[in-house]
Amino acid sequence: MENCIFCKIVTKESPCAEVYSGEHVLAFLDIGPIAPGHTLVIPKTHYSNLWDVPASLAAELFTSMQKIGGALMEATRATGMNVVMNNFPSAGQVVMHAHWHLIPRFDGDGLFQVAQQQYASREAMYDMAAAMQRALQP
Ligand code: AMP
Ligand code: ZN
């Protein structure tokens, strides 16, 4: 994919601080880390977002994240880790090459402090579940 910074990292046209390279998966440090050790895990092929990534890659992505996540926690001495994927600009996706953020966490580090909302009523909550069940119908 032309002009995709992550594709250029895969082909080594652009540099990265590589952490792991597997058959179809690459991991490198995020250049603007939320915390030191913040790592990006990407498929080596260009897919835009979660829905474009083929299910055949799921097992390798998942096991890579487990392996890299373990190494990240060991190297940073983190006591927790978030796995975050932003899909579409509304969700904060800036680089349109599917990727997962692995973010080291520590007790009391204050990251991701987002207030939870409440449904207007129990009924509103069950209506939402029903709407999603309808959307799941083929
Ligand atoms: P997102 O907002 O989910 O699209 O995240 C894109 C991430 O890619 C951001 O956290 C950036 O800091 C990171 N990023 C952008 N360019 C590079 C690069 N050349 N090397 C490493 N990380 C990058
Ligand atoms: Zn790409």
Side-chain angles (χ1 to χ4, degrees):
M1 188 81 176
E2 274 177 47
N3 293 324
C4 171
I5 182 62
F6 288 179
C7 283
K8 286 186 174 143
I9 287 174
V10 171
T11 59
K12 300 196 186 296
E13 284 170 74
S14 290
C16 76
E18 183 176 307
V19 171
Y20 170 84
S21 181
E23 194 181 352
H24 304 105
V25 174
L26 180 70
F28 51 91
L29 295 185
D30 192 304
I31 205 165
I34 290 176
H38 177 172
T39 299
L40 300 175
V41 179
I42 71 168
K44 288 183 174 176
T45 301
H46 184 95
Y47 303 107
S48 295
N49 57 46
L50 179 67
W51 292 270
D52 291 336
V53 178
S56 57
L57 270 189
E60 187 180 337
L61 280 164
F62 194 80
T63 51
S64 300
M65 281 192 256
Q66 288 179 321
K67 200 162 22 178
I68 299 157
L72 174 155
M73 289 188 67
E74 193 177 317
T76 63
R77 298 176 181 267
T79 48
M81 183 185 82
N82 289 111
V83 179
V84 176
M85 183 183 203
N86 300 325
N87 291 285
F88 304 111
S90 302
Q93 187 177 5
V94 174
V95 177
M96 295 298 147
H97 182 130
H99 56 279
W100 285 262
H101 297 254
L102 305 188
I103 301 165
R105 297 298 308 274
F106 299 86
D107 290 340
D109 63 16
L111 298 178
F112 301 117
Q113 287 190 337
V114 182
Q116 283 181 280
Q117 299 182 30
Q118 285 190 332
Y119 285 95
S121 62
R122 268 279 187 203
E123 196 187 8
M125 184 170 150
Y126 284 101
D127 284 351
M128 177 61 72
M132 290 175 63
Q133 286 175 14
R134 283 194 299 279
L136 281 165
Q137 296 306 312

